[in-house]
Amino acid sequence: AQSVTQLGSHVSVSEGALVLLRCNYSSSVPPYLFWYVQYPNQGLQLLLKYTSAATLVKGINGFEAEFKKSETSFHLTKPSAHMSDAAEYFCAVSDKGGSEKLVFGKGTKLTVNP
Amino acid sequence: NAGVTQTPKFRVLKTGQSMTLLCAQDMNHEYMYWYRQDPGMGLRLIHYSVGEGTTAKGEVPDGYNVSRLKKQNFLLGLESAAPSQTSVYFCASSYSLGEANTGELFFGEGSRLTVL
């Protein structure tokens, strides 16, 4: 069964600093991996996804993530944080083609300080 | 194009009362889902549907029932609400396996339920 572990339930960075949100996964088959973002009082929206093409995936708003099979990781990064990046971020994993089996991590709340 | 719409957005119930949350999507998606979100727990799947007339249990189905009588609608029911069901409920939809399914879910804005 797939599972996802997000290291750090809260991350705080200064505006302009590097954002690094960590995600490790467990899957018995090659996974699909996702990062979703949730802004306050809103639903989740897709930030980026890995579906076995390029290992470095670029998403919206300047975010990117790198799939590292050897480390079973899919960390999310952004070179320079903006105040508007403050939100909760969820990593998710599914086996290929099985969206009903999407498993979410517990989330990381990102705070951006001026 | 509304996407995924949930009603109501807020509701307060007393223990033992019943209610239904309605989810409607206008993207012609086959799959629909109900999740609950609780602090520190992430999203947990309650029930899902892979097509009109079908439903299946997710991770935390107890105390909930669902129906998918029309493709565009997915209803979540609480027959006898309990304080443990206080949560934010999210509906989502996605393409089916036979279409351009990449696992992406499209979410509604959530329904905040409080059970006293």
Side-chain angles (χ1 to χ4, degrees):
Chain A
Q2 301 106 324
S3 65
V4 169
T5 301
Q6 291 185 240
L7 298 176
S9 58
H10 290 83
V11 170
S12 182
V13 300
S14 298
E15 191 173 18
L18 171 72
V19 175
L20 171 61
L21 305 181
R22 300 178 187 273
C23 172
N24 288 89
Y25 70 91
S26 171
S27 177
S28 58
V29 298
Y32 281 4
L33 293 159
F34 307 82
W35 277 99
Y36 282 82
V37 60
Q38 184 181 32
Y39 298 104
N41 299 313
Q42 293 187 26
L44 281 70
Q45 62 185 83
L46 185 67
L47 200 56
L48 52 78
K49 61 188 177 190
Y50 166 77
T51 56
S52 76
T55 56
L56 183 63
V57 181
K58 294 187 184 299
I60 60 173
N61 301 335
F63 283 92
E64 63 181 36
E66 186 172 7
F67 172 68
K68 292 188 177 181
K69 184 178 179 180
S70 61
E71 299 177 7
T72 60
S73 69
F74 190 58
H75 302 331
L76 182 70
T77 60
K78 181 174 181 178
S80 177
H82 192 272
M83 297 295 290
S84 61
D85 295 326
E88 191 158 18
Y89 293 79
F90 293 90
C91 184
V93 63
S94 77
D95 59 3
K96 290 192 174 183
S99 60
E100 72 272 20
K101 296 180 175 64
L102 200 64
V103 175
F104 287 87
K106 295 185 189 295
T108 298
K109 190 168 186 178
L110 175 67
T111 301
V112 182
N113 301 307
Chain B
N1 198 349
V4 179
T5 304
Q6 296 181 226
T7 53
K9 290 186 168 41
F10 301 93
R11 185 72 187 269
V12 178
L13 290 177
K14 294 181 179 179
T15 297
Q17 287 185 319
S18 63
M19 75 157 296
T20 300
L21 297 176
L22 171 63
C23 177
Q25 53 94 4
D26 61 4
M27 295 173 283
N28 201 35
H29 285 167
E30 288 292 336
Y31 288 5
M32 295 187 75
Y33 315 81
W34 277 106
Y35 287 90
R36 61 177 289 173
Q37 183 180 28
D38 303 290
M41 300 294 289
L43 275 79
R44 293 181 291 170
L45 183 63
I46 304 171
H47 286 281
Y48 65 98
S49 168
V50 299
E52 182 178 317
T54 73
T55 63
K57 293 180 180 179
E59 180 185 355
V60 289
D62 294 342
Y64 304 95
N65 57 76
V66 288
S67 64
R68 183 98 181 268
L69 298 180
K70 293 183 178 180
K71 184 177 183 179
Q72 64 268 32
N73 296 335
F74 195 29
L75 279 64
L76 178 71
L78 286 72
E79 289 187 348
S80 179
S84 61
Q85 295 178 303
T86 294
S87 187
V88 181
Y89 292 86
F90 286 97
C91 178
S93 68
S94 73
Y95 292 106
S96 70
L97 289 174
E99 298 172 32
N101 180 22
T102 58
E104 178 180 0
L105 301 183
F106 296 82
F107 283 85
E109 293 191 343
S111 298
R112 186 175 295 274
L113 174 65
T114 301
V115 183
L116 302 176

